[in-house]
């Protein structure tokens, strides 16, 4: 049974980091183009996020998207074939899904003087050493958005994840060894965040970038802890996957949604604004 699961979508997903790592390490020009496209999407999202309006009614806690589909993300899992394509629109009236009150004094991009802007870049993550490969694969296959088990056997998720990870680890180690002994995703994503913050600074918006990986260090939870510790009150959440998928962006969004709902005080929308760029595959570079 485990081998059949491994041969399906979970198997293809486990190689995604390897493929992306090879392409990123080989094509420098493609990487620069990717940084440019991501930068454009995030800059637009920052503009939408800081729309220059105060709001009298706070929305329900939960992730808020910069797009046509508004409201809190449900943590309930949906069939992968039914996962909607969340096409983004950049209308200021749709970003927060709440009423508009009186205008307030704002600066560039609608930011108030005491606002602190952060950009959270979400990505898959990857082992930086060959000794970390099996544990990384375990985290990957232990995600219920990657391998979905029916209720009666759900407690076996960890055992199945470890079985698949140990079986695939030798092949994956060879792949990572061929590109220098580890994944370059963390380094590349950090560079993208730094370049994005620099570009925003040139456009008059001071922002700090954070990197949150789903399956390896620095984990999303670590990035969120740092964001809250730094006192960020305007946050753009930017998945590095161009297209929305339940097993990539969807998995990271589900995790963030759970974190928001567990800590209502820290994520109180009256003092902490955030928005999500759900996809950016068709945004002009």
């Amino acid at each position: 049974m485990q081998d059949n699961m491994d041969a399906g979508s979970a198997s293809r997903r486990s190689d995604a980091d390897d493929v992306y790592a090879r392409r990123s390490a080989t094509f420098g020009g493609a990487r620069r183009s990717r940084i440019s496209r991501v930068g454009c999407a995030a800059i637009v999202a920052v503009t939408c996020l800081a729309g220059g309006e105060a709001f009298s009614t706070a929305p329900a806690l939960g992730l808020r998207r910069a797009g046509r589909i508004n409201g809190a993300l449900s943590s309930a899992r949906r069939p992968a074939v039914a996962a909607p394509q969340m096409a983004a629109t950049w209308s200021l009236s749709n970003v927060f899904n709440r009423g508009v009150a009186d205008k307030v004094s704002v600066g560039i991009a609608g930011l108030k003087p005491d606002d602190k802007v952060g950009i959270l870049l979400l990505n898959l993550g990857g082992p930086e050493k060959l000794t970390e490969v099996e544990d990384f694969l375990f985290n990957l296959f232990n995600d219920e958005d990657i391998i979905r088990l029916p209720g009666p056997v759900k407690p076996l998720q960890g055992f199945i994840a470890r079985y698949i990870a140990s079986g695939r680890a030798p092949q994956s180690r060879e792949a990572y060894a061929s590109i220098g002994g580890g994944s370059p995703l963390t380094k590349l994503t950090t560079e993208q965040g730094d370049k994005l913050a620099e570009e925003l600074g040139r456009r008059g918006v001071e922002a700090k970038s954070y990197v949150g990986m789903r399956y390896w260090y620095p984990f999303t939870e670590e990035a969120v802890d740092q964001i809250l510790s730094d006192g960020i009150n305007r946050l753009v959440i930017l998945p590095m996957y161009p297209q929305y998928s339940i097993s990539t962006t969807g998995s990271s969004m589900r995790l963030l949604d759970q974190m928001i709902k567990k800590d209502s005080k820290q994520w109180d929308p009256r003092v902490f604004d955030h928005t999500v760029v759900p996809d950016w595959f068709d945004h002009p570079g």
Side-chain angles (χ1 to χ4, degrees), residues 180-220:
S183 169
L185 274 181
T186 300
K187 178 178 181 293
L188 295 179
T189 305
T190 300
E191 289 177 0
Q192 289 173 315
D194 291 343
K195 293 296 183 182
L196 178 55
E198 289 177 11
E199 179 61 27
L200 286 170
R202 283 192 287 269
R203 302 190 183 200
V205 178
E206 183 177 350
K208 184 175 180 179
S209 64
Y210 302 85
V211 172
M213 298 300 191
R214 185 66 177 91
Y215 303 115
W216 204 245
Y217 302 100
F219 288 109
T220 304

Side-chain angles (χ1 to χ4, degrees), residues 3-191:
D3 289 337
N4 289 336
M5 291 178 181
D6 188 24
S9 61
S11 175
R12 292 191 298 271
R13 176 69 191 284
S14 70
D15 297 325
D17 186 36
D18 297 342
V19 173
Y20 181 74
R22 292 175 185 272
R23 291 177 178 175
S24 298
T26 305
F27 301 108
R31 181 180 61 164
R32 288 190 294 272
S33 176
R34 184 180 176 85
I35 291 174
S36 175
R37 289 175 59 83
V38 173
C40 290
I43 290 166
V44 174
V46 168
T47 304
C48 293
L49 175 65
E53 296 168 331
F55 303 90
S56 57
T57 305
L61 285 174
L63 286 172
R64 297 196 295 281
R65 307 180 186 91
R68 296 191 184 97
I69 304 175
N70 293 293
L73 261 176
S74 172
S75 60
R77 291 186 284 114
R78 298 163 290 174
V81 294
Q85 184 72 36
M86 298 192 296
T89 57
W90 311 110
S91 171
L92 292 179
S93 62
N94 293 333
V95 173
F96 297 112
N97 191 29
R98 56 187 177 183
V100 177
D102 295 334
K103 299 278 186 178
V104 295
S105 176
V106 296
I108 187 168
L111 293 172
K112 292 178 286 186
D114 58 346
D115 281 339
K116 300 184 71 174
V117 177
I119 305 169
L120 174 59
L121 276 62
L122 301 176
N123 213 332
L124 180 77
E128 297 183 345
K129 301 177 182 178
L130 296 181
T131 55
E132 300 171 344
V133 170
E134 183 173 334
D135 287 339
F136 162 74
L137 292 175
F138 170 79
N139 291 338
L140 176 69
F141 292 118
N142 198 40
D143 183 358
E144 63 182 18
D145 283 323
I146 304 302
I147 296 180
R148 303 182 184 186
L149 299 177
V153 295
K154 196 173 183 62
L156 299 177
Q157 180 95 31
F159 294 100
I160 294 174
R162 180 58 67 182
Y163 174 80
I164 298 174
S166 62
R168 292 191 62 87
Q171 177 185 352
S172 294
R173 286 193 192 98
E174 290 181 5
Y176 284 116
S178 71
I179 58 171
S183 169
L185 274 181
T186 300
K187 178 178 181 293
L188 295 179
T189 305
T190 300
E191 289 177 0

Side-chain angles (χ1 to χ4, degrees), residues 262-285:
K262 286 180 180 179
D263 195 351
S264 59
K265 182 177 180 179
Q266 291 276 19
W267 290 86
D268 187 338
R270 291 169 294 187
V271 296
F272 189 103
D273 274 323
H274 74 273
T275 191
V276 178
V277 180
D279 55 50
W280 42 271
F281 67 96
D282 58 351
H283 193 278

